Amino acid sequence: MGELIDRVSLITGGSRGIGRACCFALASDKSNIALNYNKSSGAADKAVAELEGKGVRAKAYQADVSNAEQTKRMMDQILDDFGRVDVIVNNAGITRDRSFMKMTVDQWHQVLLVNLDGPFNVTSGLLPQMVERGWGRIINITSIVAQMGNFGQSNYAVAKGGMIAFTKSLAREVAVKGVTVNAVAPGFIETDMTAAVPEKVLDTVRQMTPMGRLGRPEEVARAVRFLAAPQASFITGQVVNINGGMYM
Ligand code: NAD
């Protein structure tokens, strides 16, 4: 408790699912929360009110993270309001599933723009002030799909695989600056994203998962909280798998 007191965490796509759970997990360590959302202002405001109820400062910021200008405006506003960002959780992500032979160039680019350009826009804007202070935590939410591949997700696998490569490269660049960079790779987690997956496919997923079930957002957020904590000071460039044993 209180490991992140006076720190500020930015969680992209924080209004629901894994991102929302990350906001609450970090708030339970007393981090102040900058919650980014793209469209769901109602859900974002509700989360902010609940977070404030936990005794931390919280504020919602609208921006499409794939848009560099919008993201810059958001980050300027966050730095104006809070004065710093110590923890970034690059969580915002989308899928546009289609078998490769039917995939359009738009579906390919949309997924790369949100899942890869998004983390670039956010991280490049906020890294300098972390390096200057000599402390920071960057946590990238990748996916088991980067490790195993998945039918109909070549675009998503490329984006999430790129995130792992980005994590390892940036970790090497900033290791001596007090900034750690890690990735968390969830398996199949019960969120709106998997709600769109046909039940038949989810049954197969359960069969392929030694624990025989999907994960919960809180189970992912717990690892994010661990990586953000000061005690995780010698962990960088790693991929933490949270998948019920589906990929080992
Ligand atoms: P979700 O769809 O509930 O949440 C995604 C969040 O990202 C939403 O809040 C959405 O509004 C936001 N978002 C999307 N595009 C955005 C943009 N351009 N700018 C800002 N915000 C944007 O899904 P989730 O399952 O909570 O996914 C969270 C992350 O976890 C994603 O990166 C996803 O790829 C990853 N992930 C999910 C699973 C799973 O099984 N649910 C598995 C592995 C990885």
Side-chain angles (χ1 to χ4, degrees), residues 1 3 21 37 41-42 61 69 80 84-85 100 122 124 126 132 140 167 173 177 185 207 211 233:
M1 281 290 279
E3 305 277 8
Y37 69 96
S41 67
Y61 297 87
E69 253 173 58
D80 260 13
R84 60 197 290 150
V85 173
F100 184 71
V122 173
S124 61
L126 294 172
E132 207 173 292
N140 298 319
T167 297
E173 288 188 22
K177 309 282 186 193
Q207 281 161 23
M211 288 194 180
S233 47

Side-chain angles (χ1 to χ4, degrees), residues 13 16-18 36 63-65 91 141-142 156 160 186-187 189 191 194:
R16 65 173 200 236
I18 293 170
N36 156 258
D64 171 350
V65 294
N91 165 77
I141 310 296
T142 174
Y156 185 72
K160 294 303 192 185
I189 310 297
T191 66
T194 42

